[in-house]
């Protein structure tokens, strides 16, 4: 067209501008995260899902609440059955967490230091206290490296203080951590054979600061814990500096790579290198955090938020949701491909937001299709240019 008369040149320029406008519209329309759907939860609208643990895409455990009763429900290949209900010998309302083990079973707490092991929907007792000490278990986690069967327990001791005890494969329960540094510990995660990460809140003494003794400010803290088995008490290896300007709590610990963990909180996000004890603060508050199978961590904010933080191997980026987050998140889970956010919408109806992590960047998504189209068109253009150059040299 450019070799023809002038009206063809203007036509070519007009087509080019139309192409630019359409391309910009398509890029803007595909700039949102794909693969997100709002669905009814697996059990029904009458059941709020308070905790969830996904074994794989076919099996999960859900702690539900309906009309004043708690139920622990096991779903396997689409079939659901009640493991613990109102008429059971155990109390589902005592479940504060569900810890997944490497053999696809889960551990749940009961009164005191008693625990239950559940595998394939069957309940077995799980002994944790082999001594005469009295303590309650607030959280428990298995050694992630799976080179041994050690577990680390976050406990509430008889004196009311929070600490850590180990439980090794020989049934030895360790002594408690001697000092809690005025910290109420809340969660713990495994990093390596002997290293663990814990999060909690610092509670200053009533005589310190300007806070009211009845409603003291809570400040988030984290620490690395060392324990290698036996009777020796776990030791706090590193405690984060306590910043009284920071408020809120950490809700998730994600083992990100060999040296780093992601500590997600309601105030900020920490990228912590446990080898150098250095931390990078990311200005993003969240209510739920999940890791996928591609060395990425996804952090979700509360209802009506429009963005998600994705932390990958080399960087982090804030990605847009196609619409505002339509629910208040109460629990989350990942089955190996799909992230599940359970919660309630504005009307109080129980819903689940599913997020297909495999759709991000794939050719099935709009942006993935545009990227593929750009590559194909570019290859065609460069091929035609190469052929023309070849023909010109032959003349």
């Amino acid at each position: 067209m450019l070799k023809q008369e002038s009206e063809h040149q203007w036509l070519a320029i007009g087509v080019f501008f139309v192409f630019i406008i359409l391309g910009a519209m398509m890029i803007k329309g595909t700039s949102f995260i794909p693969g997100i759907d709002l669905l009814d939860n697996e059990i029904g609208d009458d059941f709020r899902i308070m905790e969830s643990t996904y074994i794989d895409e076919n099996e999960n455990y859900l702690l539900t609440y309906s009309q004043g009763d708690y139920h622990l429900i096991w779903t396997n290949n689409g079939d659901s059955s009640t493991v613990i209900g109102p008429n059971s010998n155990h109390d589902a309302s005592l479940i504060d967490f569900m810890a997944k083990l490497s053999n696809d079973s889960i551990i749940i707490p009961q009164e005191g230091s008693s625990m239950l092991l559940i595998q394939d929907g069957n309940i077995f007792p799980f002994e944790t206290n082999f001594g005469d000490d009295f303590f309650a278990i607030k959280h428990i986690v298995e050694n992630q490296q799976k080179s041994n069967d050690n577990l680390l327990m976050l406990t509430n001791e008889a004196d009311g203080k929070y600490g850590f005890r180990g439980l090794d494969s020989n049934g030895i329960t360790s002594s408690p951590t001697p000092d809690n540094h005025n910290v109420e510990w809340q969660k713990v995660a495994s990093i390596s054979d002997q290293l663990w990460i814990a999060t909690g809140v610092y509670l200053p003494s009533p005589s310190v600061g300007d806070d009211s003794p009845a409603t003291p400010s809570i400040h988030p803290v984290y620490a690395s814990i060392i324990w290698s088995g036996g009777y020796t008490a776990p030791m706090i290896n590193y405690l984060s500096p306590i910043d009284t300007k920071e408020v809120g709590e950490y809700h998730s610990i994600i083992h990100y790579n060999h040296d780093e963990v992601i500590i997600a909180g309601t105030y900020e996000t920490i990228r912590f290198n446990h080898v150098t004890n250095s931390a990078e603060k990311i200005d993003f508050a969240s209510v739920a955090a999940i890791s996928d199978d591609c060395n990425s961590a996804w952090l979700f904010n509360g209802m009506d938020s429009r963005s998600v933080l994705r932390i990958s191997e080399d960087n982090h980026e804030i990605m847009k949701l196609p619409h505002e987050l339509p629910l208040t998140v109460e629990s989350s889970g990942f089955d190996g491909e799909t992230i599940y956010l359970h919660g309630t919408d504005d009307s109080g109806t129980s819903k689940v937001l599913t997020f297909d992590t495999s759709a991000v960047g794939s050719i099935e998504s709009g942006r993935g299709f545009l990227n593929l189209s750009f590559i194909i068109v570019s290859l065609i253009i460069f091929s035609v240019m190469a052929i023309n150059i070849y023909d010109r040299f032959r003349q």
Side-chain angles (χ1 to χ4, degrees), residues 45-64:
D45 293 344
D46 296 333
F47 290 86
R48 291 173 57 188
I49 297 179
M50 312 306 296
E51 295 286 343
S52 59
T53 296
Y54 287 79
I55 305 301
D56 53 37
E57 62 272 15
N58 298 316
E59 183 182 5
N60 59 57
Y61 290 90
L62 305 174
L63 175 65
T64 67

Side-chain angles (χ1 to χ4, degrees), residues 289-342:
I290 297 290
S291 62
D292 60 21
D293 289 340
C294 300
N295 288 330
S296 294
W298 299 87
L299 280 67
F300 298 86
N301 214 324
M303 177 181 279
D304 298 331
S305 61
R306 290 297 304 264
S307 59
V308 173
L309 176 65
R310 182 189 185 188
I311 303 177
S312 56
E313 185 71 26
D314 300 322
N315 60 3
H316 61 269
E317 60 178 330
I318 295 179
M319 307 179 71
K320 295 180 180 179
L321 292 170
H323 47 70
E324 293 181 349
L325 194 69
L327 48 77
T328 299
V329 179
E330 295 180 319
S331 69
S332 58
F334 179 65
D335 67 1
E337 182 173 311
T338 303
I339 292 175
Y340 296 85
L341 298 178
H342 297 281

Side-chain angles (χ1 to χ4, degrees), residues 59-120:
E59 183 182 5
N60 59 57
Y61 290 90
L62 305 174
L63 175 65
T64 67
Y65 176 80
S66 177
Q67 299 179 354
D69 293 325
Y70 287 86
H71 300 76
L72 180 62
I73 296 177
W74 175 52
T75 300
N76 187 30
N77 292 319
D79 297 327
S80 300
S81 60
T82 299
V83 179
I84 300 177
N87 299 322
S88 303
N89 295 327
H90 307 286
D91 190 355
S93 67
L94 298 176
I95 300 176
D96 292 327
F97 65 89
M98 294 186 284
K100 179 183 174 183
L101 301 182
S102 57
N103 61 355
D104 292 341
S105 61
I106 64 170
I107 298 177
I108 61 173
Q110 288 295 282
E111 291 184 328
S113 59
S114 63
M115 304 282 285
L116 297 177
L117 176 70
I118 302 177
Q119 187 168 29
D120 297 330

Side-chain angles (χ1 to χ4, degrees), residues 329-382:
V329 179
E330 295 180 319
S331 69
S332 58
F334 179 65
D335 67 1
E337 182 173 311
T338 303
I339 292 175
Y340 296 85
L341 298 178
H342 297 281
T344 55
D345 59 16
D346 289 327
S347 64
T349 304
S350 180
K351 296 289 184 180
V352 56
L353 190 72
T354 62
F355 172 32
D356 183 4
T357 57
S358 64
V360 178
S362 69
I363 61 172
E364 297 178 358
S365 66
R367 177 57 60 88
F369 177 76
L370 286 182
N371 291 340
L372 179 62
S373 300
F374 176 79
I375 294 174
I376 293 176
V377 172
S378 299
L379 288 175
I380 292 174
I381 292 175
F382 283 115

